[in-house]
Amino acid sequence: MMTSQKHDFAAAAIRIEDAAPALRLSLRVKPAHRDAVGRALGLDLPARVGQRAQAGDIQALCLGPDEWLIAAPEGAPLADAARAVYADAPHSLVDISDREITLRLSGPAVLDLLAACCPRNLAAMAVGSAARTVFDSATVILWRDGPADFRMDVWRSFAPHVRSLLAQAQAEIAAGL
Amino acid sequence: MLLIHCPYCEDSLPELEFTYAGEAHIARPADPSALSDEEWRDFLFIRTNARGPHYERWRHIGCGRFFNAIRDTVSDRFLTTYKAGEPRRPLTNEAAE
Ligand SMILES: [Zn+2]
């Protein structure tokens, strides 16, 4: 019985896919001007670290007390919208689209895969939240989109290292280790 | 794994997400040119090197923030953590327990 369970488990335990390129913006703004910039972007910027907001296909993640990551389809005209309120709500909005790549990690054993190199208790992470954390020594942002569905933003230069670790952990889990 | 409470994330998170950043509450002199060599040396290099509760700065990679902590250098226990810019927390019995 254990053997058959293990076999089913390994069959489609983990999927690792590359997400399509996206627009990524780093927003820094003081709390007093947060709502004004949020309104300009059409987002209700969350105030608590780890919380996300979504409007259409634009997502915002609160990374720190004055720092947000905005993810949107390529070409979304967000910079123009923010520029329009700059005089009244000074902020910094930097295009970091090409700094990172995004991996989509899913499957019933995805928590085991991530636990191989991430020290956070990801089982306790709320679905619909996200966090900047570490994967081995690389800084990554993990978005939990479903109980067994994560996105991982990795700096491009760390991606080969992270990919090789993920492949190794995936192989070990598939082998039942 | 040691868990450290980040006062900005309001969560206790694994130590691997944190970096030590030296002793806390060392204010940069307002007028560095007015300092004697000995005062400048003290500002740059002389630290308390406490055995026991130690006021120190840490940085959390999750929120990118520096904050203050009181950590016991003998037991490696974090007695409390608080936001950067807040005044030095007194060593209460509660914190020292
Ligand atoms: Zn934090």
Side-chain angles (χ1 to χ4, degrees), chain B residues 6 8-9 60 62-63:
Chain B
C6 173
Y8 293 97
C9 294
H60 182 216
C63 59

Side-chain angles (χ1 to χ4, degrees), chain A residues 49 63, chain B residues 6-10 13 18 60-65 67:
Chain A
V49 177
L63 284 174
Chain B
C6 173
Y8 293 97
C9 294
E10 297 174 344
L13 297 161
F18 295 83
H60 182 216
I61 211 168
C63 59
R65 284 291 165 141
F67 60 91

Side-chain angles (χ1 to χ4, degrees), chain A residues 24-31 33-34 37-38 41 45 63 66-70 78-79 82-83 85-96 99:
Chain A
R24 271 184 273 268
L25 301 171
S26 168
L27 170 67
R28 305 295 300 263
V29 60
K30 290 191 169 160
H33 300 306
R34 183 188 75 227
V37 176
L41 297 174
L45 291 175
L63 284 174
D66 64 355
E67 182 181 9
W68 286 264
L69 175 65
I70 317 279
L78 295 174
R83 195 174 293 122
V85 298
Y86 183 80
D88 295 325
H91 60 271
S92 146
L93 189 70
V94 180
D95 189 332
I96 54 165
R99 188 179 73 178

Side-chain angles (χ1 to χ4, degrees), chain B residues 77 79 92-97:
Chain B
R77 272 198 60 193
L79 306 178
T92 61
N93 289 333
E94 193 184 348
E97 257 171 26

